[in-house]
Amino acid sequence: HPLTFPLTLARHWTTLSCNKQAIRLCCVGARAECTLPEQYWRELLIATLTTHLESDVCIDFVGPDIPTQLKSKTITLDNDKSTSSQRPIRQLSVNFHSSYLHEVVLKILKSQPHSSTTEQIKSVWDGFVLFNPGLGHPNLSKQWKPTLKFLIGTEKPILFTAHSTIDAKRDQQVLEKLLADCDDDRIVQYAVNPYASRMEFVDPFLENHVLSPNHSIFLLKMMQGAEIKTKI
């Protein structure tokens, strides 16, 4: 079950990293994934060995459900001493922000009041990942809307997962509506994730609805110049 998070991320690494040698991702609305022991996230470094990534990875876990006692740390993957490989030491830096994304962005703006432009803020992260966010859940959809507008506006790749086919369908409808506001009429198509968790549980709010973390997945690659319309 725990490996579903790093392996799901690794499967789409090339698109998320844009073949950069160093990458900074933001995991928005983080929960269980941010509490995994180091050895599980080290699997991300192992699983991406064949990519162009040579050195540093940084993941900022952001969300109000993140335990406040979590501290930033660096996870290292050393070279295999049994080989003559001269590959640089690969490392994953993880930071934890027990707050909403807009609060983190506001802190960045306040810390650099004379140099932070809209374009610079949009370029803080190279991509985003949302594990099982429940974008279309009746109790969560309104909270997610402003965050999704910001994410789409950055024009960076966004990886979404969902707990089930039903969950994915609800999220799909939310995303297609927001994309339509950008004059983007593409069809959002979630697929079954081969690295989904094998742990299953029943939705307490919907009878016979079986959930599984990261059951479905969708990778959104935004078109350049995307802009959410504001309806008056």
Side-chain angles (χ1 to χ4, degrees):
H1 163 61
L3 283 174
T4 181
F5 298 105
L7 293 183
T8 295
L9 188 55
R11 185 169 186 258
H12 298 276
W13 192 256
T14 301
T15 300
L16 288 169
S17 68
C18 300
N19 291 326
K20 291 185 176 181
Q21 289 193 337
I23 179 176
R24 184 178 183 184
L25 298 178
C26 182
C27 182
V28 186
R31 290 167 295 178
E33 58 270 24
C34 70
T35 63
L36 295 182
E38 288 186 15
Q39 61 264 35
Y40 291 107
W41 279 111
R42 188 174 287 113
E43 291 294 324
L44 174 64
L45 296 175
I46 296 173
T48 55
L49 275 172
T50 58
T51 69
H52 293 285
L53 177 68
E54 295 293 343
S55 52
D56 297 336
V57 184
C58 177
I59 300 179
D60 292 316
F61 291 100
V62 177
D65 295 324
I66 294 177
T68 56
Q69 70 270 21
L70 293 179
K71 305 298 181 184
S72 298
K73 57 186 176 182
T74 299
I75 302 168
T76 302
L77 179 66
D78 294 328
N79 284 323
D80 186 349
K81 295 180 180 179
S82 65
T83 70
S84 59
S85 172
Q86 297 299 313
R87 295 177 66 94
I89 293 177
R90 295 158 59 84
Q91 62 182 27
L92 168 63
S93 300
V94 290
N95 304 309
F96 305 96
H97 305 273
S98 185
S99 54
Y100 291 98
L101 181 62
H102 70 270
E103 295 172 327
V104 175
V105 172
L106 185 60
K107 286 181 181 178
I108 295 174
L109 285 170
K110 288 183 176 180
S111 67
Q112 301 174 333
H114 302 298
S115 60
S116 293
T117 65
T118 300
E119 290 303 314
Q120 287 173 320
I121 290 299
K122 288 167 62 175
S123 299
V124 171
W125 295 285
D126 298 297
F128 301 89
V129 56
L130 286 73
F131 289 118
N132 313 297
L135 307 177
H137 193 283
N139 297 332
L140 300 173
S141 57
K142 288 185 179 179
Q143 299 177 37
W144 274 116
K145 190 172 182 179
T147 300
L148 289 172
K149 286 184 176 181
F150 170 77
L151 297 182
I152 291 174
T154 66
E155 301 176 0
K156 299 300 174 64
I158 312 169
L159 182 66
F160 299 93
T161 70
H163 272 122
S164 67
T165 302
I166 293 176
D167 191 29
K169 184 66 176 178
R170 292 187 299 211
D171 292 359
Q172 171 192 343
Q173 293 172 349
V174 170
L175 290 173
E176 286 183 349
K177 187 177 185 305
L178 283 173
L179 290 172
D181 289 339
C182 300
D183 291 330
D184 186 339
D185 60 356
R186 84 178 83 179
I187 301 298
V188 173
Q189 188 69 50
Y190 277 78
V192 174
N193 178 17
Y195 295 110
S197 171
R198 295 189 179 185
M199 184 181 74
E200 296 181 340
F201 54 96
V202 178
D203 186 344
F205 302 105
L206 185 61
E207 188 177 359
N208 298 323
H209 183 204
V210 178
L211 308 176
S212 179
N214 301 326
H215 170 277
S216 303
I217 193 165
F218 173 66
L219 179 60
L220 176 64
K221 293 178 64 177
M222 288 303 302
M223 298 184 298
Q224 295 295 312
E227 183 177 352
I228 296 287
K229 297 177 182 177
T230 301
K231 296 182 179 180
I232 302 176

